[in-house]
Amino acid sequence: MSYLNDFETELFAKIEHGSEDTAAIVRWVSEKVLESYRNGITAGRVGKTVIRQGKSRRSGLFGKTE
């Protein structure tokens, strides 16, 4: 989760120092979100299987096997 911590730190610094106007901060956030989205797409293409230990986290009808 270091990506989110780094993002929060950078965003907080931009807001606190007030060196940039609101439009510049919004553009910066948009670029970061787009970069993260593209990285997720690229990671999905690799096709690594996520293996989780334990029971399914799904609840309701879709989490139950018949």
Side-chain angles (χ1 to χ4, degrees):
M1 287 247 191
S2 68
Y3 175 80
L4 284 179
N5 291 336
D6 294 344
F7 177 78
E8 287 177 357
T9 302
E10 286 183 62
L11 180 59
F12 182 77
K14 287 182 180 295
I15 293 171
E16 278 297 304
H17 296 305
S19 60
E20 297 183 47
D21 64 338
T22 305
I25 293 173
V26 169
R27 272 193 306 278
W28 178 81
V29 169
S30 297
E31 290 171 5
K32 284 293 198 176
V33 168
L34 182 59
E35 176 186 349
S36 177
Y37 174 76
R38 288 180 177 157
N39 288 340
I41 294 293
T42 302
R45 287 187 188 143
V46 173
K48 290 192 175 187
T49 303
V50 176
I51 300 173
R52 294 185 178 97
Q53 300 297 325
K55 297 179 181 179
S56 172
R57 293 188 225 171
R58 294 180 179 179
S59 63
L61 295 175
F62 297 107
K64 298 178 182 174
T65 58
E66 292 183 27

